[in-house]
Amino acid sequence: MPNLLQEKAISPLSADQCADLLMDTMPLVMRAIRAEMRRQRPLDLSVMQFRALGFVRRNPGVSLSQVASYIGLTLPTVSKMVDGLVERQLIIREAAIEDRRRITLRLSAAGQDAVATAHRATQRQIAAQLAPMSGEQRIVVAQAMRTLRPLFNTDELDVLEDAENIKEE
């Protein structure tokens, strides 16, 4: 029996068929990446702390509220968690230039190192999973990723704002 995914790849797919395939595959890929990132995080960091560090890394200057919204925890809980990360010198908390009442967050050098180390280790593991593919198959995957990136490259903070607006409606 022919592989349905390979068969569909030969003939053109509708946008709906392509979306269905993407929705079936991407959660599996993301699950593998998240699991490996969890395995590679420094052992003394919780998953939530590590997620906060990753979010602050991607969005320097974010507020505590934005971190709380991203992680899905209450503001007091995230505030306490960030206090601990500040004490451990992984996050730098400072007053915003435009509004001294607003606090912004960015990673310290140690915080950047912690996230970068886990990222590199995860990348090596994902590369090992991709190694059995032929060079031609990896080219196809790379082309697909380069094609998809601009279509889905929305600002993480805009997505959070949109989610907050939906909750308020």
Side-chain angles (χ1 to χ4, degrees):
M1 180 171 214
N3 183 331
L4 188 59
L5 295 179
Q6 289 176 338
E7 187 177 290
K8 286 185 175 184
I10 294 170
S11 62
L13 297 177
S14 70
D16 283 342
Q17 290 170 317
C18 191
D20 191 42
L21 183 58
L22 190 64
M23 290 171 62
D24 282 347
T25 306
M26 290 309 296
L28 301 173
V29 173
M30 290 309 303
R31 186 179 329 142
I33 291 171
R34 279 194 297 273
E36 192 59 33
M37 288 294 280
R38 278 193 296 275
R39 275 193 289 281
Q40 298 301 332
R41 77 183 189 277
L43 295 178
D44 58 342
L45 288 176
S46 71
V47 171
M48 290 300 175
Q49 289 171 323
F50 191 70
R51 286 187 68 210
L53 289 174
F55 181 71
V56 172
R57 176 180 173 254
R58 290 186 304 277
N59 303 284
V62 294
S63 69
L64 250 137
S65 297
Q66 289 169 316
V67 174
S69 181
Y70 174 75
I71 292 178
L73 297 175
T74 65
L75 190 56
T77 301
V78 171
S79 180
K80 185 175 179 172
M81 179 177 67
V82 167
D83 285 346
L85 294 170
V86 168
E87 283 178 27
R88 294 170 63 186
Q89 300 180 345
L90 296 172
I91 285 184
I92 297 169
R93 183 177 27 210
E94 52 200 1
I97 295 169
E98 67 280 354
D99 180 357
R100 307 288 297 163
R101 295 171 295 178
R102 184 174 171 265
I103 299 298
T104 62
L105 305 171
R106 65 183 171 86
L107 290 188
S108 66
Q112 290 174 8
D113 287 347
V115 175
T117 298
H119 182 88
R120 282 190 302 273
T122 299
Q123 186 175 356
R124 283 191 299 271
Q125 177 57 35
I126 299 299
Q129 287 178 268
L130 297 174
M133 296 171 66
S134 70
E136 185 176 286
Q137 288 173 316
R138 287 193 297 272
I139 288 170
V140 170
V141 169
Q143 287 172 331
M145 296 302 105
R146 289 181 186 122
T147 301
L148 291 173
R149 186 181 192 101
L151 298 175
F152 292 93
N153 191 21
T154 57
D155 186 339
E156 213 166 16
L157 297 176
D158 289 344
V159 171
L160 284 176
E161 252 180 48
D162 291 345
E164 288 300 312
N165 291 337
I166 289 169
K167 283 182 197 173
E168 292 172 5
E169 291 176 354

